[in-house]
């Protein structure tokens, strides 16, 4: 069974940085794309960033482009989300996810992901 465990969330002031981590287990990590999404109360879960199985292709939501960086380290089965220049509107629960499509690019569509982590809270104060 695939398991995803996020960590690294917390409280930070506007303009600060955080790095989220997501450790995967249960299958060969390096064959599958990964994604980060976020959700605030009363809103749908929204796309943040995705990285292909090889790490050669990344896609970002317009709202985080230039501030967030997604990366992966296949030696430790981990995907990261480096978040810089944080804004109060970045406050949300952040989730990592993966798809069942081997050797594929990621997707911006949350419905195309098959496994999700439990989420980690990020709070940005003004």
């Amino acid at each position: 069974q695939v398991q995803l465990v996020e960590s690294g969330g917390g409280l930070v002031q506007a303009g600060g940085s955080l790095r989220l981590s997501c450790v995967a287990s249960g299958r060969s990590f390096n064959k599958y794309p990964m994604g980060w999404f976020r959700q605030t109360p009363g809103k749908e879960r929204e796309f943040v960033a995705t990285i292909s199985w090889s790490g050669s292709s990344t896609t970002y939501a317009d709202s985080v482009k230039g501030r967030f960086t997604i990366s992966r380290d296949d030696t430790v089965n981990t995907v990261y989300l480096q978040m810089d220049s944080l804004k109060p509107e970045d406050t949300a629960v952040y989730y990592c996810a993966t798809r069942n499509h081997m050797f594929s690019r990621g997707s911006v569509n949350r419905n195309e992901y098959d496994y999700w982590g439990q989420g980690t809270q990020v709070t940005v104060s003004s």
Side-chain angles (χ1 to χ4, degrees):
Q1 181 70 6
V2 176
Q3 288 192 317
L4 304 174
V5 179
E6 303 98 333
S7 62
L11 174 63
V12 64
Q13 288 190 330
S17 298
L18 281 175
R19 188 176 81 157
L20 305 184
S21 300
C22 172
V23 179
S25 61
R27 69 180 184 188
S28 300
F29 177 78
N30 61 356
K31 294 182 173 64
Y32 298 91
M34 301 293 296
W36 285 98
F37 290 76
R38 66 187 182 187
Q39 189 170 23
T40 54
K43 293 190 176 181
E44 293 187 342
R45 194 167 295 186
E46 67 172 4
F47 168 74
V48 175
T50 186
I51 188 166
S52 63
W53 71 276
S54 65
S56 62
S57 175
T58 58
T59 304
Y60 297 91
D62 287 344
S63 59
V64 307
K65 203 171 293 183
R67 300 187 298 121
F68 290 12
T69 304
I70 188 171
S71 62
R72 62 189 299 156
D73 185 345
D74 293 345
T75 65
V76 291
N77 293 350
T78 301
V79 62
Y80 302 99
L81 185 68
Q82 177 67 42
M83 305 186 296
D84 299 318
S85 302
L86 282 161
K87 304 175 181 179
E89 51 263 44
D90 295 319
T91 295
V93 177
Y94 283 72
Y95 299 89
C96 73
T98 189
R99 306 178 66 193
N100 270 334
H101 291 74
M102 291 174 60
F103 307 121
S104 69
R105 300 174 60 138
S107 172
V108 304
N109 185 346
R110 65 181 182 274
N111 296 320
E112 295 186 4
Y113 287 82
D114 302 287
Y115 301 99
W116 295 84
Q118 83 290 348
T120 185
Q121 176 70 48
V122 171
T123 303
V124 184
S125 64
S126 57

